[in-house]
Amino acid sequence: MNKWKALAILFTLFSIGSLREMFRILTSDAPDIAPNRRELIIISLIITSVAIFFAIRFWRKASDKRLY
């Protein structure tokens, strides 16, 4: 396993966790989330998108036949 595939797996796990947290923010009526829901939704969307982007990027880099 090369370093790119390891990074892709790490960011995949990170994105799964951030998807779970984003779902919790979107569906929860908890009193600690309610006052800041708008900001938390924006932040969770950005973090999840970045994690998925890097997971895909590193996986493609790992599967590329050329060495960098």
Side-chain angles (χ1 to χ4, degrees):
M1 178 184 309
N2 59 14
K3 65 180 177 180
W4 303 119
K5 194 169 283 191
L7 283 171
I9 292 170
L10 178 72
F11 275 99
T12 300
L13 293 174
F14 185 67
S15 65
I16 290 170
S18 64
L19 280 171
R20 290 182 65 203
E21 187 65 23
M22 184 176 66
F23 183 72
R24 187 179 81 84
I25 291 170
L26 291 173
T27 59
S28 178
D29 288 336
D32 61 334
I33 293 176
N36 301 320
R37 184 178 304 277
R38 186 178 330 142
E39 293 87 5
L40 290 173
I41 289 172
I42 293 169
I43 291 170
S44 67
L45 284 171
I46 291 170
I47 291 174
T48 304
S49 301
V50 168
I52 291 172
F53 170 77
F54 279 120
I56 292 170
R57 181 180 173 109
F58 289 141
W59 190 263
R60 285 185 181 169
K61 195 174 250 194
S63 63
D64 194 9
K65 301 301 180 197
R66 295 177 289 159
L67 295 175
Y68 292 97

